[in-house]
Amino acid sequence: MFRFPLCDEVAAGAIAGFLSSMPMNAAMNVMNDLLADPTEKTPHRNLIDNAMDRAGMDASGDARQGASIAASLGYGTVAGALYFPLLRVFPAANVVGSPGVLAAKGASYGAAVWALSYFGLMPALRVSKHPEKASLRKHLISLLANLIWGSSLGVMAHKMLVYSP
């Protein structure tokens, strides 16, 4: 069983989720610039643009970019906070080991967050296109970015608990 209080696990997951969102966003922007159609926006920016348009908000490109970054950091924080509580539900996932094992476990969680978000939650909220309308490149960019997020989350969250005073 777990030897850490749930509040410590939620806090560690939230902090790691927030921090892991930074390399994820950097990677997503680089991959979007290198691999995607130059006229396409990052998936996060598309989500914010669609949400703001649906809400009737008129905002500049800079404001929308800032909102996109804030939303991504917030989403990563919330998803990170859920990491350990969800591991409690799936005892088989409670393997602790080398950083490689922690990264793989986190990457699996990142892939699950990606799938549930892009194929379930976001279309249901009508803030993104249905998945079949997005290009394969966009899906790959999003998935790879979420694998980066999850890998970083898995290692950082566990290490924060183990090395906390």
Side-chain angles (χ1 to χ4, degrees), residues 8-21 73-86 109 113 149 153-154 157:
D8 290 355
E9 292 176 354
V10 170
I15 293 166
F18 176 84
L19 293 173
S20 297
S21 296
L73 294 172
Y75 199 86
T77 301
V78 171
L82 296 174
Y83 180 65
F84 284 117
L86 289 173
Y109 182 70
V113 168
W149 174 82
L153 169 75

Side-chain angles (χ1 to χ4, degrees), residues 51-66:
M52 290 178 115
D53 291 345
R54 285 181 51 86
M57 298 173 71
D58 186 28
S60 71
D62 288 341
R64 287 174 182 250
Q65 184 64 21

Side-chain angles (χ1 to χ4, degrees), residues 143-163:
L143 176 57
L144 288 172
N146 275 269
L147 292 173
I148 290 167
W149 174 82
S151 297
S152 177
L153 169 75
V155 173
M156 271 198 281
H158 282 280
K159 295 300 181 182
M160 277 187 218
L161 288 175
V162 173
Y163 295 115

Side-chain angles (χ1 to χ4, degrees), residues 47-57 64 124-128:
L47 292 173
I48 289 300
D49 285 351
N50 291 336
M52 290 178 115
D53 291 345
R54 285 181 51 86
M57 298 173 71
R64 287 174 182 250
L125 295 175
R126 296 183 174 174
V127 293
S128 72

Side-chain angles (χ1 to χ4, degrees), residues 25 28-29 32 39-53 59-69 71-72 118 127-128 138:
N25 281 307
M28 186 178 286
N29 285 328
N32 200 62
T39 62
E40 288 184 303
K41 300 172 190 167
T42 64
H44 292 143
R45 178 59 189 269
N46 279 332
L47 292 173
I48 289 300
D49 285 351
N50 291 336
M52 290 178 115
D53 291 345
S60 71
D62 288 341
R64 287 174 182 250
Q65 184 64 21
S68 172
I69 292 167
S72 177
Y118 286 96
V127 293
S128 72
K138 280 293 183 188

